[in-house]
Amino acid sequence: MSSPTRIDLPVSREVLAGLRVGDEVRLYGPVFTARDATHAKLAESLERDDRLPFGLEGQTLFYAGPTPPAAGRPAGAVGPTTAKRMDGTTPLLLEAGIVATIGKGLRSAEVREACVRTGSVYFAAVGGAAALLATFVAGSEVVAWPELGTEALVRMQLEGLPVFVAIDTQGADLYADARAAWRAQSEGER
Amino acid sequence: MLRSAVTTERSPRGQAVLEQLLENADIAQADSVPVCQDTGTVWVRVELGAEECLCGDVVAEVNVAVAQAYHDAHLRMSLVNDALFDRSNTGDNTPAFVDIAWRPGTGATVHVMLKGGGSDNASRVEMLAPDAGIEGVRRVVLEAVEARATGACPPLLIGVGVGATFDKVAGLAKRALLRRLDEPSADPKLAAFEAELLSAVNATGIGPAGLGGDMTAIGVQVLTAPCHIAALPVAVNLGCCAVRSVTIEVGS
C-alpha cells in the first residue's frame, strides 16, 4: 500500500476532492466529537438558527465518546463509534458546512449522495483500537453540552490520527467496494 | 490468536488493521488504558454452588462493585436511565445486567463480560420453524454478519444460541461468547458446525474493521438447548474485537 497522505484540518473541499476511496490518511488539527445525543442537539440548533453553532462550518466531526482521561493525560481511550446511527442527521450537517466525518461502518445511500452533492468525505478509523488512537490526540476541551458527559461536543486536537477514506467525493464506498474486491480476488485464487 | 492472524490475513489493508489492534493491545497493557473507549454494559452471571445458601441482594452488591470499578478505573459511563423516556446518563454505569443460576458443588463461578454497544446493536433474535434446521441457523448467522458486521468492529467473536424460548435464547448466545477460544466445543457435531460457520463468515470478504480481507471472525461459538416442539429460536450475539470477559471461581 502507498504511504499515508497528510491532511491538515480544517480542510478545504478542494483538498478533499483529491482523495480517493481506500487512501490511507493521517489527520492533523482540530476535530469535534459528536455522537447520538450531540447530533440531536446539533439538529435542534440548526433548525432554530439555520446555521451550525460554535463555528462548526468547515470543520470535521468525529463520532466518538472517549473515556475520561487518567491524571496527566490529554485523552482517555478514544475511537470511532458506529456511523450508521448518525445517518439521519448527516446530510443536513454536510449541507450546513461540515466537510468530513470520522466513524466506523457502512453508511446509508443518502449519506453517500450527500458526500457527492457537497464534496464531503467520510473517514473510517479502526474500531477497538482506542488505546492506540488516543496516542494521536494532543489535547481536548469541552465546547458545549458538558451535561452530556461522554457525549459532550469536544474539540480534540489530532496529531496524525490514522484513517482510511471510506466514502470519497465521487461517492465510492470502501465498505462496499473493498469487500467485493477482496471476495473476487480470493475466489480467483482458489 | 490475533497475533497469528496477522500472518494468515492476505489483504494488505486487513493486515494494517490487525497490526493496529495488536499495537493497541500492547499500549493498553503498558499504559493501563482501556482497549476500547466503549467500556460497555456490564453483564454478570453468578453460578452459585447448590450446596451454598446465600442471603442478601446479590444484584445490589454487583451494582455497588460496578459503580466503584468504573469510577476508580476512569472507565466510560455508557448507560442511560430509561431507553425511551429518560436518556440521561445514570452516572455510574449501573445497572449491571445480572443472571443468577445454580451449579453442583460449593462456592460460586462468576462470569463478567463488558460488552460494547455497537456489537450488541448488530445482534438479532429470530424464531424459525423447526424444519428450517441447520440451514436456517446458518442463514440467520450469515444475514446478521452481512447486514451489520462492518459497524461491529471485526474480527468478531460470534456467539450463537439455538433453542430455549424467545427471552432465553439471546442469553444463550451471550453465554456462548464466554468459552475460551482455545477450547473447542466438546460435542464433535457442534464443533464441526462451528468450524463450518466460521469459514462461511470468513468467506464474506468483510475482513478486519470491515475494510476487506479474510478475517471477519476469529471464532463462532454455539450453545444449544431444549425447546418447544413448534420452535427453533436462534440468537446471534456479535462480539467485537474488544469483547472483554473473565471467569472467576469464588470459595470452591
Side-chain angles (χ1 to χ4, degrees):
Chain A
M1 290 172 75
S2 56
S3 64
T5 307
R6 177 186 171 120
I7 296 282
D8 289 286
L9 302 171
V11 62
S12 69
R13 286 190 157 130
E14 289 68 43
V15 170
L16 291 176
L19 295 175
R20 286 294 164 270
V21 87
D23 286 356
E24 228 180 313
V25 171
R26 296 288 184 132
L27 297 175
Y28 291 80
V31 291
F32 293 80
T33 66
R35 46 174 297 152
D36 309 71
T38 338
H39 272 68
K41 295 273 194 193
L42 287 174
E44 252 174 57
S45 181
L46 189 58
E47 168 86 31
R48 190 181 54 236
D49 305 329
D50 208 28
R51 55 177 300 208
L52 290 167
F54 311 113
L56 286 174
E57 290 89 356
Q59 301 291 347
T60 296
L61 295 183
F62 186 8
Y63 304 142
T67 66
R73 290 180 139 267
V78 60
T81 193
T82 309
K84 193 183 186 58
R85 296 196 313 275
M86 272 51 82
D87 281 0
T89 321
T90 299
L92 289 173
L93 297 179
L94 297 180
E95 299 284 358
I98 295 296
V99 299
T101 55
I102 310 167
K104 65 167 162 100
L106 196 63
R107 310 202 64 171
S108 67
E110 289 75 16
V111 169
R112 214 159 48 230
E113 286 154 15
C115 283
V116 176
R117 203 163 56 241
T118 61
S120 308
V121 163
Y122 166 48
F123 294 110
V126 173
L132 170 67
L133 298 185
T135 64
F136 301 104
V137 175
S140 66
E141 53 167 342
V142 176
V143 174
W145 307 310
E147 69 280 9
L148 297 182
T150 187
E151 300 201 72
L153 184 73
V154 171
R155 184 180 187 277
M156 202 171 256
Q157 189 69 23
L158 300 184
E159 284 293 334
L161 187 84
V163 295
F164 298 93
V165 176
I167 299 177
D168 65 23
T169 57
Q170 301 184 350
D173 184 336
L174 181 61
Y175 284 104
D177 300 354
R179 177 194 167 176
W182 185 249
R183 199 168 172 155
Q185 184 183 331
S186 55
E187 272 164 11
E189 284 169 15
R190 249 173 238 145
Chain B
M1 287 299 272
L2 270 186
R3 249 170 244 289
S4 63
V6 178
T7 58
T8 54
E9 174 60 62
R10 294 171 302 160
S11 150
R13 196 182 294 114
Q15 269 177 17
V17 169
L18 293 173
E19 274 158 16
Q20 277 195 31
L21 293 177
L22 289 176
E23 199 183 343
N24 182 64
D26 291 341
I27 293 170
Q29 187 157 34
D31 296 357
S32 297
V33 175
V35 286
C36 177
Q37 78 285 347
D38 188 349
T39 49
T41 48
V42 181
W43 178 79
V44 176
R45 179 178 169 87
V46 179
E47 294 168 0
L48 187 62
E51 292 170 39
E52 303 287 350
C53 188
L54 189 64
C55 303
D57 186 340
V58 176
V59 174
E61 291 299 324
V62 168
N63 282 329
V64 168
V66 167
Q68 174 151 18
Y70 272 68
H71 174 267
D72 291 355
H74 303 285
L75 303 185
R76 195 180 82 181
M77 308 306 178
S78 307
L79 270 82
V80 296
N81 280 294
D82 186 83
L84 205 50
F85 297 113
D86 179 10
R87 293 196 65 97
S88 61
N89 202 291
T90 65
D92 60 6
N93 217 56
T94 65
F97 298 88
V98 184
D99 285 347
I100 300 176
W102 281 261
R103 61 153 175 76
T106 58
T109 307
V110 181
H111 306 282
V112 181
M113 190 187 308
L114 311 189
K115 186 95 171 44
S119 58
D120 240 31
N121 278 349
S123 303
R124 60 174 66 184
V125 172
E126 272 194 44
M127 303 300 285
L128 302 180
D131 70 352
I134 281 185
E135 191 46 51
V137 175
R138 183 187 296 118
R139 177 186 60 74
V140 174
V141 172
L142 285 173
E143 280 179 4
V145 168
E146 297 272 358
R148 303 294 291 273
T150 63
C153 296
L156 305 169
L157 180 61
I158 302 175
V160 182
V162 186
T165 51
F166 175 75
D167 60 313
K168 298 289 185 195
V169 71
L172 210 55
K174 186 148 280 187
R175 267 167 58 205
L177 292 173
L178 291 173
R179 203 174 76 215
R180 287 174 51 101
L181 269 168
D182 54 4
E183 285 172 11
S185 179
D187 177 346
K189 276 205 303 287
L190 205 50
F193 186 43
E194 289 174 345
E196 186 198 321
L197 286 173
L198 179 60
S199 96
V201 166
N202 285 338
T204 59
I206 292 169
L211 299 176
D214 296 313
M215 177 156 281
T216 305
I218 199 160
V220 180
Q221 306 191 148
V222 184
L223 279 179
T224 60
C227 70
H228 192 279
I229 49 174
L232 178 52
V234 182
V236 182
N237 197 198
L238 299 187
C240 62
C241 61
V243 65
R244 291 136 287 184
S245 69
V246 66
T247 295
I248 313 154
E249 293 297 332
V250 183
S252 48

